[in-house]
Amino acid sequence: MATATRRRAGVRRAVRRAGAPLLLLLPSLILVGVFVYGLIVANARQSATDNHTAAQATGQAPTTGVGLRNYLDLLGSEEFQHSLTNLVLYTVVFLVGTMVIGFLWAWLLDKPLRGEGFFRSIYLFPMAVSFIASGVVWRWLLNSNQDEQASGLNRLFQMIGLDALQNNWWNNVSVGIVAIAIPAIWQLSGYVMALFLAGFRGIPVELREAARVDGASEWKLYRHVLFPQLSPIALSALIIIGHMSLKAFDLIMSISKPANYQTKVPAVDMYVFKSAFDYANAAAVGTILLVIVAIVIVPYLVHTHRQDKR
Amino acid sequence: MRGAPRTSAVAAVAAVAALALAACGGNGGEPESSGSGGADEVEVFTWWAAGSEKAGLDALVKVFDEQHPDVTFVNGAVAGGAGSQAKDLLQTRLQAQDPPDTFQAHAGAELQDYIDAAQIEPVSDLYDEFGLTDVFPPDLMDRLTADDGQIYSIPSNIHRANVVWSNRQVLTDAGLDPDATYPDLSAWMDDLATLKKAGVTPLAVAQAWTQVQLLETVLLADLGAEGYSGLWDGSTDWKGPEVTAALEDFETLMGYTNTDRDGLDWPESQQLVIDGKAAFTVMGDWAEASYEEQEQELGTDYSAFAVPGTDGVFDFLADSFTLPVGAPHPDGAKAWLETVGSAEGQEAFNKAKGSIPARTDVDMSTFGEYQQSAAEAFKSDTIVSSLAHGAAVPVATLTAITDATSKFTSGASDLAAFQSELAAANAG
Amino acid sequence: MTAVVEEAGRPIDLGRRAAPRGRFTVGRTLRYLVLLLFVLVVLVPVYVLLVTSFKGPGDAAPTRAWNLPRVWTTANWETAWSTLSPAIARTVQMVVPAALISAFLGSLNGFVLSRWRFPGADLVFTLILFGMFIPYQAVMIPLNQLVLGLGVPSGVPSLILLHVVYGIPITTLIFRNYYMTVPQELIEAARVDGAGMLRTYAWIVLPISVPSFVVVLIWQFTSAWNDFLFAVFFSSSQNGPVTLALNNLANGALLQDYGVSMAGALFASLPTLLVYVLLGRYFMGGLMSGSVKG
């Protein structure tokens, strides 16, 4: 009896130490466990079968395991390689574009300036607009007609005498995807600006003053004092912006069309497979996307932990 | 003091749980299914959410309310992407065993996927019950009947895909005869070349599915009705020289089209012709509704004729309604299907939508001029199934064909590769 | 100590130094010119949206995108409003609870993960965070079955659930990063006072979390408001949010009425725009106060 009470007290103490935090986390853990990991597993299992038809999808016809066949077929096909190339191109242009423009804006706004709030609001607002809403107008702007039939941006280029800038935007089969990154850059550069601006402002004034007193040039000030302070922000901006490049899907759906070969990315392939009842291949594309993400994100997470522990 | 934190911990956890439950529970549990056979309402799933399609649906609902005043119509229309969003959502709902009471689908091969997946019920009995067996043309009945001898849907309307629409003013301005008839594609291409020299877009086309539709009419023109139908049952060789010749014609025609095609949907490419920015377009006869909406006159403002080389052939597609397995209100669905199949329903619906009734016994005298001629053609012409609209092949094959077409027209593959991809798509 | 608390809780004033007045320098003029040029570039799509939304049928055509309306009309706005207003009301009902619940859960998680270093805490955080990156299309079919199996009605309730669940990773991330910057002494002091974890959370941590709540709420509000993918799969035009209604308006019509589409696009974006304009400085302030440090 006595030992039981003592043991119960011990358990209670242990529960209070580790149990309470876990209890608080529990709702989120259950939700994330089921909705994220449960579904990832379900998806992976699906991808290793020959579930390519409507009848199989509903269990009217049997499915059998095919191991990694779907993955090998996908990665070996010219079409899917085209999608992957597009994804890489899009991501690189989108990341470089938002980071460069966002940093430039933050740098321009860093020093005291009348009307700063105005500029900030203008640069930030596209972030508030959905791709469905902005797609309505970007579809016009990125119209590929040129010369007499031009409309959209090509027309604007003519009006301001920059005819040479006219191009067929996303209709170029090898680099057209880059045009889809333009609305995305428009949308998220302001966010990157906000991050960098917050970073600039987070740097103590004394640090700058001290450097100035030491006679450091403006460039040296940035190079040795400000940039090092900004690099963690740049990293998290890269991660947040980078994961959005996987959401290119919404943009492609509203500007181009899912069936267009020029602007195919894996997310679009997945959508098309699913529409054609080819669930196994849709799932395989999903897993490939997940692996790509993991390759990028896991080192970041590991890196962050090392920093935290320091 | 010691006890307090624990109490608040419990309270907080309870609060979180309550919040989570509130998020889950919402208005409380499942939507109540209404017992007794479910004859009190019917959720009708379509992609007729706007324009003449919505007008057609509204007219049909009016007839439905008269015929079945005790059944409430619930509109499950989803717009966007020529039905692609609707189909996508429908697929998900069927997979999750949460079907609407009845849904719109193109009659023909497109239904095969739902049949294979045991997601829709045969409605052959209803044909007998409603007396529909003899009111539809035999050609149509053949195409509605699945491999197992059962019929799975009731058609509401018929459309024709192989129609060329022209802007008469544009043709006159380019020195061409707006009433010219073309015996075959090459005669037509001569005029397209003239138009191109005159500086207008000879042929307007839109995104991939409209290009597939153009491809199907070219195949139909060059291979003939029998050769075209043979593509779907294996009796015509996809790798043969006749198909190569047809694909060459398709390539030539695509060379005459607008450069912004991939970003447009059909109403926009149609508008290019209506506005005089393009001379011709190939589009199904639902395009008639956009002329009507803009008060354009057949014969003065525009002309419509069968794609050159396809005279006497009716490239058909039909909308139809189904009875999903496990529909919550099967009796309501049957009431809806009865109205869809009835002469009054077909007349009201098609007059508003601009299509022609699937029934042959509807009085056409009050229909528009184009519709009357189309109804005549449907009775007398050879009927073939449309590729682009799911009447000829299952969804997976159509997707593969669409992908290959987009790859070809965007310049990523040459004609030989295109042909072998088409052959592969149809092989499996 | 109290000073620190107050400092962290207050939105940070961004106008750190008053702008110098009246001094003309080449550098500053150049800076203004560049900034204004960018303003023009950013506003290009807005110009097209705005002018087209006031154009009559026929006038609202792609080739006339840059022209001012021949006749100014508000008919498009009236049509767009009557079509979209029920959906906007539903979106508010959906977005507000979704943002609040996910922010609250994120704050709890962030607090626990940043302060209670139980074994495996890092792993748990990483596992939660990874949820941000799953491609939703891949899980749509099992997800639909799951939501249906739980008996959640389609429309607002389903969407709240989904935005809460898939919002947990990012809200947890932002709060955790923020709490990492809260001085340890603050928490220790509370502990010495004998306060348990929840008390520390409720009395010390929650009051200083305002900047992060602002960031998270704005973020969640915007992403839930602008979501289209979940909307298509878990609601219908009768019970769905405004993105769905806008899509039906913009892409459903036979004869596309661009004027109405563009007016509708502006309407659908107004609430999120207002949030940014009104709360923009708090958003920035929240970002500044440590929410974003990797």
Side-chain angles (χ1 to χ4, degrees):
Chain A
M1 200 58 191
T3 35
T5 319
R6 212 177 307 141
R7 198 179 303 145
R8 219 178 298 145
V11 168
R12 214 182 291 153
R13 210 175 307 129
V15 163
R16 200 178 309 148
R17 194 167 301 158
L22 277 179
L23 214 58
L24 282 179
L25 286 179
L26 207 58
S28 302
L29 286 181
I30 291 173
L31 288 174
V32 171
V34 172
F35 280 80
V36 175
Y37 292 96
L39 296 181
I40 286 179
V41 170
N43 186 58
R45 281 171 51 181
Q46 183 89 259
S47 74
T49 66
D50 63 348
N51 187 353
H52 298 302
T53 64
Q56 288 170 311
T58 47
Q60 298 298 310
T63 56
T64 43
V66 294
L68 296 176
R69 256 273 308 282
N70 295 328
Y71 292 93
L72 296 177
D73 288 352
L74 269 177
L75 293 171
S77 82
E78 188 194 337
E79 286 81 8
F80 191 68
Q81 286 167 9
H82 174 70
S83 297
L84 286 174
T85 319
N86 271 350
L87 179 65
V88 171
L89 260 176
Y90 171 86
T91 308
V92 168
V93 172
F94 174 51
L95 281 180
V96 171
T98 43
M99 296 301 278
V100 167
I101 294 177
F103 181 82
L104 180 65
W105 287 347
W107 178 72
L108 286 168
L109 290 174
D110 174 38
K111 280 179 255 169
L113 184 81
R114 280 160 70 82
E116 187 201 310
F118 165 78
F119 289 118
R120 236 176 30 215
S121 306
I122 296 283
Y123 294 159
L124 197 58
F125 93 87
M127 198 190 158
V129 183
S130 70
F131 283 139
I132 294 297
S134 62
V136 172
V137 64
W138 279 107
R139 222 156 62 81
W140 277 25
L141 295 179
L142 297 178
N143 186 297
S144 59
N145 281 345
Q146 296 174 40
D147 304 320
E148 294 105 84
Q149 272 136 20
S151 64
L153 288 179
N154 282 345
R155 176 58 137 239
L156 184 69
F157 289 150
Q158 288 176 356
M159 286 160 62
I160 57 177
L162 296 171
D163 295 46
L165 283 179
Q166 289 188 74
N167 66 81
N168 61 356
W169 301 111
W170 53 266
N171 275 293
N172 183 314
V173 72
S174 43
V175 295
I177 190 74
V178 168
I180 302 285
I182 295 174
I185 294 172
W186 174 78
Q187 190 128 15
L188 284 155
S189 291
Y191 176 65
V192 175
M193 170 206 70
L195 289 176
F196 276 125
L197 202 51
F200 276 128
R201 299 286 156 82
I203 298 168
V205 185
E206 300 77 47
L207 215 59
R208 298 185 191 214
E209 300 299 332
R212 287 226 175 77
V213 170
D214 289 350
S217 69
E218 192 79 349
W219 165 244
K220 277 201 176 132
L221 175 72
Y222 277 97
R223 173 76 186 76
H224 295 293
V225 181
L226 300 186
F227 286 170
Q229 297 274 334
L230 290 180
S231 58
I233 290 187
L235 191 60
S236 51
L238 268 178
I239 292 298
I240 291 183
I241 297 288
H243 109 270
M244 284 182 178
S245 81
L246 288 178
K247 309 233 153 116
F249 178 74
D250 291 16
L251 261 184
I252 292 169
M253 290 292 275
S254 58
I255 294 173
S256 174
K257 308 279 179 213
N260 283 338
Y261 189 77
Q262 305 93 305
T263 50
K264 245 159 58 87
V265 293
V268 172
D269 288 327
M270 188 159 65
Y271 171 83
V272 171
F273 278 131
K274 198 177 81 60
S275 305
F277 299 94
D278 188 346
Y279 290 175
N281 272 325
V285 176
T287 312
I288 291 174
L289 278 180
L290 209 61
V291 170
I292 296 174
V293 166
I295 290 173
V296 178
I297 198 77
V298 169
Y300 163 75
L301 293 172
V302 170
H303 167 84
T304 320
H305 285 156
R306 287 225 188 96
Q307 273 198 333
D308 286 352
K309 280 185 184 131
R310 230 179 278 149
Chain B
M1 206 58 221
R2 276 271 152 197
R6 212 175 315 140
T7 325
S8 56
V10 172
V13 170
V16 172
L19 280 169
L21 280 177
C24 299
N27 302 339
E30 297 208 36
E32 74 292 351
S33 54
S34 39
S36 64
D40 53 346
E41 68 170 63
V42 55
E43 186 199 350
V44 179
F45 187 96
T46 66
W47 53 89
W48 295 332
S52 67
E53 300 186 322
K54 184 173 187 303
L57 184 60
D58 290 345
L60 188 55
V61 171
K62 215 172 142 210
V63 176
F64 178 69
D65 286 342
E66 280 160 20
Q67 292 182 349
H68 302 279
D70 47 333
V71 187
T72 312
F73 169 83
V74 178
N75 191 353
V78 175
S84 63
Q85 254 142 36
K87 285 180 196 166
D88 218 39
L89 174 62
L90 175 66
Q91 198 187 341
T92 311
R93 282 184 63 178
L94 291 176
Q95 279 291 311
Q97 277 147 26
D98 171 37
D101 296 313
T102 177
F103 63 85
Q104 169 197 7
H106 288 135
E110 186 177 295
L111 282 175
Q112 195 58 45
D113 285 320
Y114 300 118
I115 298 170
D116 288 346
Q119 286 168 333
I120 51 177
E121 311 232 20
V123 291
S124 305
D125 296 350
L126 296 180
Y127 272 73
D128 297 333
E129 193 182 330
F130 302 150
L132 298 176
T133 317
D134 300 321
V135 298
F136 297 125
D139 263 355
L140 178 58
M141 290 298 281
D142 281 352
R143 283 177 168 72
L144 286 172
T145 310
D147 296 342
D148 61 359
Q150 296 275 15
I151 304 180
Y152 285 86
S153 70
I154 294 184
S156 53
N157 59 303
I158 301 294
H159 277 299
R160 181 179 195 171
N162 59 326
V163 184
V164 175
W165 308 82
S166 69
N167 184 313
R168 297 175 64 90
Q169 190 62 46
V170 172
L171 294 177
T172 312
D173 290 348
L176 297 171
D177 175 14
D179 291 312
T181 51
Y182 305 99
D184 53 25
L185 286 177
S186 70
W188 190 37
M189 286 180 204
D190 292 342
D191 274 10
L192 294 177
T194 312
L195 286 160
K196 187 162 191 176
K197 277 196 207 103
V200 282
T201 303
L203 181 63
V205 74
Q207 60 158 312
W209 74 260
T210 69
Q211 298 167 20
V212 173
Q213 189 179 262
L214 181 64
L215 172 67
E216 91 180 54
T217 59
V218 171
L219 287 168
L220 187 55
D222 286 357
L223 302 175
E226 207 173 312
Y228 170 83
S229 296
L231 289 169
W232 318 127
D233 62 18
S235 57
T236 305
D237 181 13
W238 271 99
K239 293 182 178 133
E242 297 85 8
V243 173
T244 313
L247 296 183
E248 278 162 2
D249 281 345
F250 175 65
E251 187 174 25
T252 313
L253 284 177
M254 286 304 293
Y256 289 122
T257 59
N258 45 315
T259 49
D260 62 347
R261 57 193 178 226
D262 288 332
L264 308 181
D265 207 343
W266 77 267
E268 293 155 300
S269 56
Q270 197 72 34
Q271 198 63 35
L272 291 176
V273 177
I274 298 175
D275 291 344
K277 297 196 179 78
F280 294 105
T281 186
V282 172
M283 186 43 61
D285 58 7
W286 48 91
E288 171 72 9
S290 51
Y291 287 98
E292 205 152 294
E293 224 171 303
Q294 295 171 67
E295 291 165 1
Q296 301 264 312
E297 287 293 322
L298 182 65
T300 39
D301 300 312
Y302 70 101
S303 294
F305 52 88
V307 172
T310 68
D311 230 6
V313 183
F314 195 105
D315 185 12
F316 120 103
L317 61 133
D319 288 307
S320 67
F321 283 90
T322 59
L323 185 58
V325 172
H329 307 98
D331 289 345
K334 279 173 196 155
W336 175 257
L337 291 175
E338 185 174 9
T339 300
V340 166
S342 70
E344 302 79 45
Q346 299 231 327
E347 185 178 344
F349 175 72
N350 287 294
K351 223 179 258 175
K353 187 174 186 279
S355 44
I356 62 173
R359 288 176 75 119
T360 48
D361 59 349
V362 174
D363 174 22
M364 292 301 295
S365 61
T366 55
F367 278 74
E369 189 188 341
Y370 173 80
Q371 285 163 291
Q372 291 187 18
S373 70
E376 277 307 308
F378 185 58
K379 272 185 207 152
S380 55
D381 285 0
T382 313
I383 293 178
V384 296
S385 300
S386 163
L387 162 65
H389 302 280
V393 293
V395 179
T397 311
L398 177 56
T399 304
I401 291 176
T402 309
D403 284 350
T405 307
S406 174
K407 195 175 167 191
F408 177 64
T409 61
S410 67
S413 60
D414 59 15
L415 200 126
F418 181 35
Q419 187 168 6
S420 67
E421 281 170 16
L422 287 176
N426 283 278
Chain C
M1 193 71 71
T2 43
V4 175
V5 175
E6 276 167 19
E7 191 54 47
R10 199 185 322 133
I12 283 140
D13 185 18
L14 291 164
R16 195 175 45 199
R17 284 159 287 178
R21 283 159 193 273
R23 246 189 312 129
F24 173 89
T25 66
V26 177
R28 246 158 49 90
T29 314
L30 211 64
R31 204 143 61 94
Y32 271 114
L33 279 179
V34 175
L35 285 168
L36 280 172
L37 188 73
F38 273 117
V39 166
L40 287 182
V41 171
V42 171
L43 289 182
V44 158
V46 183
Y47 169 80
V48 175
L49 270 172
L50 263 179
V51 295
T52 311
S53 74
F54 288 107
K55 286 178 181 176
D59 196 9
T63 40
R64 293 187 42 82
W66 305 104
N67 305 47
L68 287 172
R70 291 199 186 104
V71 183
W72 292 76
T73 164
T74 54
N76 297 330
W77 285 83
E78 284 154 28
T79 316
W81 172 247
S82 60
T83 325
L84 295 183
S85 52
I88 289 184
R90 283 194 296 270
T91 318
V92 173
Q93 287 170 27
M94 181 267 285
V95 165
V96 171
L100 284 175
I101 297 172
S102 64
F104 179 67
L105 285 178
S107 146
L108 270 183
N109 298 341
F111 171 63
V112 171
L113 289 170
S114 66
R115 290 298 153 191
W116 256 257
R117 313 297 291 169
F118 58 90
D122 283 345
L123 183 68
V124 168
F125 174 63
T126 311
L127 287 176
I128 291 181
L129 196 53
F130 198 72
M132 247 169 91
F133 301 96
I134 62 163
Y136 299 136
Q137 287 93 0
V139 299
M140 208 43 92
I141 288 163
L143 182 59
N144 207 297
Q145 277 161 337
L146 181 61
V147 172
L148 209 72
L150 292 171
V152 187
S154 106
V156 173
S158 284
L159 292 174
I160 292 179
L161 173 69
L162 292 168
H163 288 301
V164 167
V165 170
Y166 291 107
I168 288 175
I170 185 137
T171 57
T172 303
L173 169 73
I174 293 178
F175 276 109
R176 176 182 172 276
N177 287 349
Y178 175 63
Y179 292 143
M180 294 294 252
T181 67
V182 173
Q184 187 67 37
E185 307 85 62
L186 214 66
I187 312 278
E188 289 305 323
R191 248 192 223 175
V192 170
D193 287 349
M197 186 172 64
L198 263 168
R199 280 221 184 167
T200 318
Y201 174 72
W203 291 358
I204 312 282
V205 175
L206 214 48
I208 60 166
S209 305
V210 175
S212 280
F213 265 102
V214 173
V215 175
V216 165
L217 285 175
I218 291 180
W219 186 277
Q220 284 299 100
F221 181 87
T222 318
S223 63
W225 188 281
N226 289 340
D227 161 72
F228 181 65
L229 189 64
F230 287 145
V232 171
F233 283 98
F234 294 93
S235 63
S236 69
S237 40
Q238 267 75 45
N239 60 18
V242 67
T243 41
L244 201 60
L246 174 64
N247 180 61
N248 283 359
L249 185 70
N251 297 327
L254 177 74
L255 173 65
Q256 288 198 321
D257 197 336
Y258 296 114
V260 174
S261 307
M262 303 241 174
L266 286 167
F267 253 131
S269 312
L270 271 184
T272 42
L273 282 177
L274 273 180
V275 165
Y276 270 83
V277 170
L278 296 179
L279 301 177
R281 59 187 287 113
Y282 296 94
F283 184 65
M284 296 278 306
L287 288 180
M288 274 185 60
S289 50
S291 301
V292 293
K293 292 220 182 95

